[in-house]
Amino acid sequence: MSLLISRRSLIVGAPALLAGCDQVARNSAARAILFKGEDMHRGIQRALMDRDALAREFRPDQRSPIFRSNGTRDPGTPEYETLAAGKFADWRLNVGGLVARPLALALTDLAHLPNRAQITRHDCVEGWSAIAKWQGPTLGSVLKAAGLRDAARYIVFTCADLYGGRPYYESIDLIDAFHPQTILAWALNDRMLPIANGAPCRLRVERQLGYKHAKYLMRVDAVASLAGIGKGHGGYWEDNVDYDWYAGI
Ligand SMILES: Nc1nc2c(c(=O)[nH]1)N[C@H]1C(S)=C(S)[C@@H](COP(=O)(O)O)O[C@H]1N2
Ligand SMILES: [Mo]
């Protein structure tokens, strides 16, 4: 394992390629820690992929005429209805868990953090794709503001909706959390995120399949382990069906 990881770092870890990336997950020592405790299969799969590579970005004219919705199209709970009726002015994204400074961020706070806009292709496991422009603060900038504690290994996203009666949640590791294209999107194609697509804020984690892109975000928590969350497999589909936790594309 460690041999694979350090060889991979030698091949792709050229400093020029990594300029501007966060250091936390960008060296072999950090990777060795991140992979510790994971099963061999998962660790090797991830070690062999170029986790730092950027997802392809497209031109504005390549965008899909419509960006469809999938899964929950409206959480419809009384709490969510109240937030939506107030145009999400009272919504707060709570950032907590293994952080030094828990945060409660309003939409205006998200807009004032370092934002990134990107035109990317969304790939759903069910076999459809669509290209759209997304904008929001990088998750990395939010986590830096909160100050990750050393024990943090995963970021867990808690959503406002139940899908099929069960809470939707997702999780990613720190490599994806600090990937420069991983953003908390509040805008889709230059407009506020529609309810069907996860208003007021959803995750974009561009190197993974659609089900990882949690919509209707309410909480972002740093954790040391996924064991105590849901049924312990790290996400709605991972727990309730048998989808892979790491859905790399
Ligand atoms: N909270 C929540 N997030 C979710 C889902 C959901 O049902 N609830 N569906 C997932 C799936 S399977 C896909 S393909 C995308 C769809 O995003 P869209 O509705 O903007 O097309 O959201 C993902 N995130
Ligand atoms: Mo999906």
Side-chain angles (χ1 to χ4, degrees):
M1 269 294 292
S2 53
L3 178 68
L4 265 176
I5 291 160
S6 51
R7 278 183 55 205
R8 184 191 166 283
S9 300
L10 280 177
I11 295 162
V12 302
L17 291 173
L18 301 179
C21 294
D22 194 274
Q23 289 304 310
V24 69
R26 310 283 159 188
N27 61 61
S28 56
R31 281 174 195 282
I33 295 164
L34 290 170
F35 290 134
K36 212 171 82 182
E38 288 193 279
D39 67 68
M40 211 46 187
H41 175 83
R42 185 188 285 173
I44 287 173
Q45 178 196 5
R46 294 165 58 214
L48 291 173
M49 287 186 71
D50 185 353
R51 299 287 313 280
D52 303 323
L54 295 179
R56 180 172 171 201
E57 294 192 19
F58 296 81
R59 299 188 310 270
D61 61 284
Q62 293 175 300
R63 285 179 294 179
S64 305
I66 56 148
F67 191 90
R68 59 165 284 184
S69 158
N70 203 31
T72 302
R73 282 149 214 264
D74 185 342
T77 64
E79 296 80 9
Y80 186 84
E81 298 285 281
T82 304
L83 290 172
K87 298 201 160 95
F88 300 103
D90 293 332
W91 171 86
R92 295 292 181 273
L93 181 65
N94 288 288
V95 182
L98 295 172
V99 297
R101 296 171 292 279
L103 306 172
L105 302 170
L107 272 173
T108 48
D109 298 323
L110 296 186
H112 285 109
L113 283 159
N115 270 233
R116 181 184 165 101
Q118 58 206 25
I119 302 175
T120 53
R121 194 184 67 205
H122 179 98
D123 294 314
C124 172
V125 73
E126 293 168 18
W128 61 272
S129 298
I131 296 172
K133 178 179 177 183
W134 303 95
Q135 184 185 327
T138 59
L139 177 59
S141 66
V142 172
L143 296 176
K144 266 183 211 157
L148 272 194
R149 293 193 185 279
D150 289 348
R153 292 289 179 275
Y154 303 97
I155 306 300
V156 177
F157 303 89
T158 304
C159 309
D161 61 316
L162 303 174
Y163 188 60
R166 292 170 182 177
Y168 204 99
Y169 84 97
E170 262 305 338
S171 62
I172 59 176
D173 64 20
L174 296 187
I175 297 178
D176 267 331
F178 285 95
H179 186 284
Q181 289 169 318
T182 298
I183 62 173
L184 300 178
W186 52 268
L188 165 58
N189 289 330
D190 299 314
R191 297 178 170 205
M192 299 301 282
L193 199 56
I195 286 180
N197 303 106
C201 178
R202 63 101 53 88
L203 176 66
R204 294 298 308 171
V205 49
E206 303 291 356
R207 299 291 314 280
Q208 297 206 49
L209 289 171
Y211 62 88
K212 301 295 292 188
H213 300 229
K215 306 194 283 186
Y216 315 112
L217 292 179
M218 297 303 291
R219 296 200 56 86
V220 173
D221 287 287
V223 300
S225 159
L226 300 174
I229 297 146
K231 294 180 195 161
H233 302 290
Y236 177 94
W237 292 102
E238 296 91 322
D239 277 347
N240 295 304
V241 191
D242 63 347
Y243 286 12
D244 286 338
W245 173 76
Y246 185 69
I249 45 180

